[in-house]
Amino acid sequence: MRREGEANLREIALSSQFDNLARYIFSGAVRVLSVAANFVFSVVVTRSLSIEDAGTFFLMFAILSVLSFILGFGLENYVIRLVGITSASVPKKDGINRLIKIIVPIILFGLFVAVILSRNSGVLSEQVFENASMGEPFSIIVFSVAAMTGIILIGAALQGLMFISTSIFVTRIIVPIVVGLLIGLAHVDTLIGLSKLFLTVVWLVVLLGGLLLYLAWPSETKTSLRDTGGRRSHPKLTAGVLLSLAFIGVFQQLSQWSGQLIAGVFLPSSDVAILAVSQRTA
């Protein structure tokens, strides 16, 4: 009996090791797909538009990427902790409502900022980047920034639920793949057309991400109010914590996109396109 028990334990341990290995392999494959999707997207954009328009698009994308993290106030880590706690301790409806109270106001604030930037897109394009052709398409695509912020926070919530691969799929893979495919299928060859297409796709991904988050959220809690002493604990969000998180998030994004932003100020759009593709290749 003892030998049979030891054999069963070894089988369970071996099965667990195989499960962990398969999980790591799948997670690695998803990350590789993310890199490949973004590289192919860059190539498709460069081949579909003129080199100047492609450079302008990558510059606008860099601006939106930095702005989306600024508008998100660096709340990804907070959302991960909040969802990890509430999904295990409060009913599904209450947990999702708490998350909505965070994400929806930020998206609305992002739309408010987008309206201001859209109305002043001409000044931004001509005075800052000295690129007159950027004005009209930027006035359209800038409304993507609110959706991109929402996608970041939805991805963080999925991470809090331990759906890491799904989070990567929503935040890094689906937009470049869908936009890249639609560029070819719809024969998009203008900067304004690509701006409208990108705007439409990112807002659809917000809806898709919200649906996946709702489906991923557990229906039953793992701990009860009795287990937590009658209190539903969740991480506190103070002004100091908010500023610290925002600073870290913005610094990370500036380190990633500063090259394209600086190039957009001092170099022609064609050089920005070459830089963008080169960075994704590296």
Side-chain angles (χ1 to χ4, degrees):
M1 294 293 293
R2 182 177 180 182
R3 291 181 178 179
E4 291 180 358
E6 292 177 350
N8 290 334
L9 288 176
R10 284 195 296 270
E11 290 180 2
I12 294 174
L14 185 61
S15 176
S16 178
Q17 291 177 356
F18 278 121
D19 290 341
N20 290 333
L21 179 61
R23 190 178 297 111
Y24 288 138
I25 292 175
F26 180 74
S27 178
V30 171
R31 294 180 185 276
V32 171
L33 178 60
S34 170
V35 174
N38 282 277
F39 172 70
V40 172
F41 172 69
S42 301
V43 174
V44 170
V45 170
T46 305
R47 292 178 62 88
S48 300
L49 304 181
S50 66
I51 188 68
E52 290 79 11
D53 285 348
T56 300
F57 174 79
F58 291 130
L59 174 59
M60 294 191 301
F61 183 78
I63 295 171
L64 295 176
S65 297
V66 175
L67 278 177
S68 63
F69 274 84
I70 293 175
L71 294 175
F73 297 101
L75 285 174
E76 304 96 282
N77 291 330
Y78 174 80
V79 168
I80 291 173
R81 291 182 57 203
L82 176 67
V83 171
I85 293 173
T86 56
S87 64
S89 60
V90 303
K92 179 175 182 176
K93 181 180 179 180
D94 294 342
I96 291 178
N97 284 338
R98 289 185 183 181
L99 189 60
I100 289 175
K101 291 179 180 178
I102 295 174
I103 295 180
V104 171
I106 288 179
I107 289 178
L108 293 176
F109 179 68
L111 287 173
F112 173 74
V113 173
V115 170
I116 296 175
L117 293 175
S118 179
R119 294 176 64 88
N120 295 276
S121 60
V123 176
L124 179 67
S125 60
E126 295 179 10
Q127 300 298 323
V128 179
F129 296 101
E130 297 183 355
N131 186 348
S133 63
M134 177 179 161
E136 185 177 357
F138 186 75
S139 68
I140 297 171
I141 200 173
V142 71
F143 288 97
S144 302
V145 71
M148 293 171 67
T149 304
I151 290 172
I152 292 170
L153 297 180
I154 290 172
L158 287 168
Q159 289 186 50
L161 294 174
M162 301 305 296
F163 282 78
I164 308 300
S165 298
T166 306
S167 173
I168 296 174
F169 175 76
V170 171
T171 57
R172 303 181 186 178
I173 296 178
I174 187 170
V175 171
I177 286 181
V178 173
V179 174
L181 288 174
L182 291 178
I183 287 175
L185 293 175
H187 303 290
V188 177
D189 57 1
T190 64
L191 186 55
I192 293 178
L194 179 55
S195 299
K196 293 178 179 179
L197 176 61
F198 185 84
L199 174 64
T200 303
V201 171
V202 292
W203 278 106
L204 290 176
V205 171
V206 170
L207 298 178
L208 175 61
L211 176 61
L212 293 175
L213 178 61
Y214 179 82
L215 295 175
W217 199 288
S219 300
E220 298 181 357
T221 59
K222 297 179 181 178
T223 58
S224 63
L225 292 179
R226 183 179 301 174
D227 299 327
T228 59
R231 297 184 303 273
R232 294 176 177 177
S233 60
H234 58 84
K236 294 182 179 180
L237 187 62
T238 64
V241 172
L242 190 63
L243 289 174
S244 299
L245 293 173
F247 177 79
I248 294 172
V250 171
F251 182 79
Q252 290 176 340
Q253 290 304 302
L254 286 176
S255 65
Q256 179 179 355
W257 299 105
S258 59
Q260 293 182 37
L261 292 174
I262 295 173
V265 175
F266 296 104
L267 299 176
S269 298
S270 56
D271 291 341
V272 178
I274 295 173
L275 175 63
V277 176
S278 300
Q279 287 181 327
R280 285 165 172 77
T281 303

